[in-house]
Amino acid sequence: MHVPSIKDIEYMVEKNYSEDEILRAERYILRMLNFDLGWPGPLSFLRRVSKADDYDMATRTLAKYFIEVTLIDERFVAVPCSQVAACAHYVSLRLLDKGPWSRAHAFYSGYFESELLPHARVLLELLAQPRKHRAIYEKYADRRFLRASEFVHQWLAKNSPEDLLVPTRGDYLGMVEFTVKGVLFDMDGTLVDTTQCVEQAWHALAVSHNMDGDALLKHVHGRPCLDTLKAHFPVSCHTPEYAHEFELRIVNNTDGVHVVPGALRAVQSLEHNKWAVVTAASRMWATMRMQQAGLPLPKCMVSCDDITRGKPHPEGFETGAKCLGCDPRDVVVFEDAVNGVVAARAAGATVVALSTSTTADALLSAGAHYVVRDFTQVRIADDGANIVVHISQ
């Protein structure tokens, strides 16, 4: 990247600030950063995504122009540097007609096409107004930069930006993409992995009643605590008070409790009114576990306290969909237990199962549409109107 001189910066700010004021501002910024300038910027990420095109010079030069243009618009301030680079490379690829956004591009950039389109729209809007970035435009009109800005200006004069905003649907071999209106998450084993402490507690309780603890563990996941107690333990354990006391003993044990990989990114990618938690646990249990794991609490939570029939009955997921204002057939459910998969399928939802506590074969046999290891194989993009779910298998 061409580093502007102090005279260039004076010109860019139209001489509203003197050379001394600019240098003092620079020194202040460096002190605030503690001179730590090692954080990767968009160009670092651009180098990585450029691997997908064998470092094509024209594509990279055009993308660099786009990255500099994003600096003048506040709408890109909150966009991660990696996404700015991916968006710039995507628009460059499309303008030069170099092919679709392929699986290689998604791999090296970390973004699917649908995640880039909203930012691409803003970038094209900026490019159509070169007067707003005159200094950058003139810089990239130079032969050293392949007259990139002039090429873009001529292209936009002859073509509609909307032509570039039609998804290319590149070669996503091994990837699945579908659209929904809402997302329902199970909690235990899906967002928060509590398998270790939960199984230890149930195993110990079984042994204390002279039962086979290993055999019991096949039946405890994905169902309310009280239902399990009634199904497998003596009558003395069948009261709500006993179930509550047992849950308190478990929930106060945080050993082995952690966020399922990728879960935080998954929930943060959605607006608050687009996702809910549907859990077989009590509201107290679910709230404490999510807080212990550092996850945001949903606007809508359906616990065993809110319904009369737990999983595998579909009531919980039907209630969750209603809370989001969706038909159950328009939501995707993320589950880790057989009972939850059966319940979600009965509700009519698309089911993505996580093999965190149950084998993939068992989840598929229960009716899961897709099985993933965890959320690192899932990408969720909310474009406002729809939610696009990408699954890498």
Side-chain angles (χ1 to χ4, degrees), residues 202-216 232-234:
W202 278 111
H203 193 280
L205 186 65
V207 171
S208 70
H209 284 83
N210 299 315
M211 296 167 54
D212 185 340
D214 292 333
L216 175 68
H232 300 281
F233 288 83

Side-chain angles (χ1 to χ4, degrees), residues 367-387:
H369 293 95
Y370 312 102
V371 176
V372 295
R373 182 177 58 258
D374 50 44
F375 286 101
T376 60
Q377 290 180 257
V378 178
R379 183 79 66 169
I380 301 173
D382 185 353
D383 66 7
N386 293 295
I387 299 166

Side-chain angles (χ1 to χ4, degrees), residues 314-334:
E315 182 184 355
F317 290 118
E318 291 170 345
T319 304
K322 184 177 180 180
C323 182
L324 297 180
C326 299
D327 186 296
R329 292 169 295 184
D330 293 329
V331 303
V332 60
V333 169
F334 289 95

Side-chain angles (χ1 to χ4, degrees), residues 14 65 72 126-135 137 153:
E14 298 179 337
Y65 168 46
I72 68 165
L126 292 174
L127 293 171
Q129 304 173 68
R131 287 192 302 274
K132 289 190 174 183
H133 57 273
R134 184 175 60 186
Y137 180 92
H153 184 66

Side-chain angles (χ1 to χ4, degrees), residues 202 205 208-209 225-226 229 233-249:
W202 278 111
L205 186 65
S208 70
H209 284 83
C225 174
L226 185 57
L229 291 170
F233 288 83
V235 176
S236 59
C237 303
H238 293 186
T239 64
E241 292 76 19
Y242 186 95
H244 180 70
E245 183 183 340
F246 179 62
E247 280 192 335
L248 276 177
R249 291 206 301 270

Side-chain angles (χ1 to χ4, degrees), residues 15 30 61 94 102 116 125 127 142 154 171 177 192 201 207 210 216 234 245 275 301 318-319 334 359 365 383-384:
K15 298 189 181 295
L30 288 171
T61 302
R94 297 297 303 275
S102 67
L116 303 177
E125 178 187 320
L127 293 171
D142 192 278
Q154 291 167 9
D171 176 24
E177 177 181 307
V192 184
V207 171
N210 299 315
L216 175 68
E245 183 183 340
W275 68 283
M301 179 185 290
E318 291 170 345
T319 304
F334 289 95
T359 65
S365 297
D383 66 7

Side-chain angles (χ1 to χ4, degrees), residues 58-327:
T59 307
R60 279 172 56 78
T61 302
L62 210 53
K64 289 178 181 178
Y65 168 46
F66 299 155
I67 286 172
E68 291 196 38
V69 169
T70 65
L71 296 174
I72 68 165
D73 194 283
E74 71 280 0
R75 287 172 290 182
F76 282 96
V77 171
V79 181
C81 291
S82 57
Q83 198 165 11
V84 170
C87 176
H89 194 91
Y90 173 76
V91 175
S92 176
L93 198 72
R94 297 297 303 275
L95 275 171
L96 293 169
D97 198 19
K98 296 264 186 178
W101 189 254
S102 67
R103 186 182 186 187
H105 291 102
F107 173 78
Y108 285 118
S109 71
Y111 295 97
F112 289 101
E113 186 175 29
S114 58
E115 296 175 282
L116 303 177
L117 288 172
H119 302 303
R121 185 181 297 277
V122 178
L123 177 56
L124 288 167
E125 178 187 320
L126 292 174
L127 293 171
Q129 304 173 68
R131 287 192 302 274
K132 289 190 174 183
H133 57 273
R134 184 175 60 186
I136 302 171
Y137 180 92
E138 291 177 356
K139 168 186 170 180
Y140 279 90
D142 192 278
R143 187 173 61 183
R144 290 175 300 163
F145 299 105
L146 309 181
R147 305 194 191 283
S149 58
E150 291 183 351
F151 166 76
V152 174
H153 184 66
Q154 291 167 9
W155 192 96
L156 289 173
K158 298 175 183 177
N159 302 274
S160 168
E162 293 298 320
D163 294 339
L164 291 185
L165 299 172
V166 178
T168 60
R169 298 294 186 252
D171 176 24
Y172 292 123
L173 183 63
M175 295 186 183
V176 176
E177 177 181 307
F178 56 89
T179 301
V180 293
K181 296 292 185 183
V183 182
L184 301 177
F185 297 96
D186 174 49
M187 194 274 297
D188 266 330
T190 300
L191 292 176
V192 184
D193 190 347
T194 59
T195 304
Q196 180 181 326
C197 66
V198 168
E199 291 191 347
Q200 284 177 350
W202 278 111
H203 193 280
L205 186 65
V207 171
S208 70
H209 284 83
N210 299 315
M211 296 167 54
D212 185 340
D214 292 333
L216 175 68
L217 295 183
K218 299 176 182 178
H219 307 285
V220 301
H221 294 290
R223 65 188 306 181
C225 174
L226 185 57
D227 286 1
T228 302
L229 291 170
K230 288 180 177 179
H232 300 281
F233 288 83
V235 176
S236 59
C237 303
H238 293 186
T239 64
E241 292 76 19
Y242 186 95
H244 180 70
E245 183 183 340
F246 179 62
E247 280 192 335
L248 276 177
R249 291 206 301 270
I250 303 176
V251 82
N252 286 322
N253 176 14
T254 59
D255 291 340
V257 175
H258 59 268
V259 181
V260 171
L264 179 59
R265 184 191 66 188
V267 297
Q268 287 181 333
S269 66
L270 293 160
E271 296 292 334
H272 287 300
N273 61 344
K274 299 286 187 69
W275 68 283
V277 167
V278 179
T279 176
S282 67
R283 183 172 291 272
M284 175 274 297
W285 172 295
T287 300
M288 287 187 67
R289 282 304 191 210
M290 292 190 70
Q291 289 176 332
Q292 288 167 353
L295 289 169
L297 293 177
K299 184 178 180 181
C300 176
M301 179 185 290
V302 180
S303 70
C304 66
D305 305 323
D306 305 306
I307 55 177
T308 57
R309 293 161 294 186
K311 303 170 185 178
H313 194 278
E315 182 184 355
F317 290 118
E318 291 170 345
T319 304
K322 184 177 180 180
C323 182
L324 297 180
C326 299
D327 186 296

